[in-house]
Amino acid sequence: MAFKDPKEYGKVIALTFDDGPNVTCTPKVLDLLEKYGIRASFFLIGDNIDEQSAEVVKRAYAMGCEINNHSRSHQPMDSFTTRQIKAEVEYTSKLIEQTVGEPPRFFRPPFIAVSDTLFDSVDLPFISGKGCEDWEESVSAQERIDRVLSQVEDGVIILMHDQKFNFKTVEALETIIPELLSRGYEFVTVSELFYAKGITPRTGKDRFIYSNCLQTTNW
Ligand SMILES: [Zn+2]
């Protein structure tokens, strides 16, 4: 995906979705992105990639979405050894590369559980984000909308979930996307977010985990 000149960006925001891919919720998120002509980034669980869901990933990639790494089995990795960490991350990175022809550029640790070993063992920038507890079924679509909109600012990474059957998040997006477009935000991928601001993202070795690409202090 070719990016425009960095000077041409105004306020930017990256929508990100965790815990897919699947054939129930992910396609509905993609339908909405397509409707509004915007892109997002997906952080995949390797074990969720199968023959059917891989087709959904290919569709997302063809739409200009970014495909990133959210481990293989989605366990807290803060007590994992280097070998366990590498097995988790490499499995998913290889599968993503096989599926879309390009390896992931970013890593999001499951549950944002980190350790020095994890930071040192994954050679990708770490991404967190501003969430809305949308993995929790009891959080209504309206609460999801309110929590996302209250945290929006230039350069922010919004963290949502396209886990199976998470239709309240799809419902929330039907309000969030047009509202942010009307506020003048441009939706970009995580790579493009950093690019638009002229920032080279730091890797885990520097102990950075980003919720906003403009952050200047480490973890
Ligand atoms: Zn997750």
Side-chain angles (χ1 to χ4, degrees):
M1 174 70 50
F3 298 151
K4 56 190 184 183
D5 191 284
K7 289 192 286 292
E8 289 173 34
Y9 292 92
K11 292 187 293 184
V12 284
I13 187 168
L15 281 183
T16 67
F17 297 95
D18 284 8
D19 297 4
N22 54 66
V23 297
T24 57
C25 187
T26 313
K28 291 193 184 299
V29 171
L30 292 177
D31 288 346
L32 271 182
L33 299 178
E34 206 163 55
K35 176 180 169 186
Y36 288 101
I38 65 171
R39 286 168 283 130
S41 303
F42 292 85
F43 287 78
L44 307 189
I45 297 174
D47 280 345
N48 284 350
I49 306 172
D50 58 26
E51 216 173 299
Q52 282 186 308
S53 67
E55 294 305 313
V56 180
V57 177
K58 286 177 190 168
R59 179 186 165 201
Y61 185 77
M63 286 169 55
C65 293
E66 188 166 84
I67 311 301
N68 288 312
N69 192 322
H70 192 39
S71 83
R72 174 178 182 168
S73 63
H74 204 266
Q75 301 171 65
M77 293 166 71
D78 51 335
S79 58
F80 277 20
T81 63
T82 299
R83 211 167 80 174
Q84 288 173 306
I85 291 164
K86 286 193 181 297
E88 283 275 331
V89 174
E90 282 169 14
Y91 176 87
T92 298
S93 286
K94 279 203 187 107
L95 205 45
I96 287 173
E97 186 164 10
Q98 281 169 19
T99 305
V100 301
E102 189 185 340
R105 300 182 186 194
F106 297 96
F107 174 65
R108 180 175 277 146
F111 311 101
I112 316 296
V114 294
S115 66
D116 284 323
T117 310
L118 185 62
F119 275 129
D120 287 334
S121 305
V122 182
D123 194 24
L124 291 170
F126 283 48
I127 301 296
S128 179
K130 304 285 188 183
C132 60
E133 291 77 41
D134 70 326
W135 37 266
E136 174 63 61
E137 176 63 22
S138 66
V139 177
S140 71
Q142 188 60 49
E143 286 171 303
R144 298 174 193 207
I145 294 165
D146 295 341
R147 290 176 192 181
V148 167
L149 294 181
S150 70
Q151 298 181 93
V152 162
E153 57 180 346
D154 190 21
V156 83
I157 296 158
I158 297 294
L159 196 173
M160 301 182 84
H161 292 79
D162 62 328
Q163 70 205 39
K164 271 185 190 170
F165 309 114
N166 197 12
F167 300 130
K168 284 182 193 166
T169 277
V170 177
E171 193 186 332
L173 287 168
E174 285 170 359
T175 297
I176 290 168
I177 296 171
E179 172 61 25
L180 292 179
L181 287 170
S182 76
R183 292 189 196 178
Y185 281 95
E186 185 171 353
F187 290 90
V188 293
T189 62
V190 178
S191 289
E192 194 172 8
L193 191 76
F194 285 99
Y195 168 82
K197 298 298 183 191
I199 294 161
T200 303
R202 295 169 186 249
T203 64
K205 288 201 170 43
D206 291 328
R207 303 296 186 264
F208 270 73
I209 176 163
Y210 292 94
S211 290
N212 185 318
C213 72
L214 299 171
Q215 86 183 56
T216 53
T217 54
N218 58 7
W219 177 249

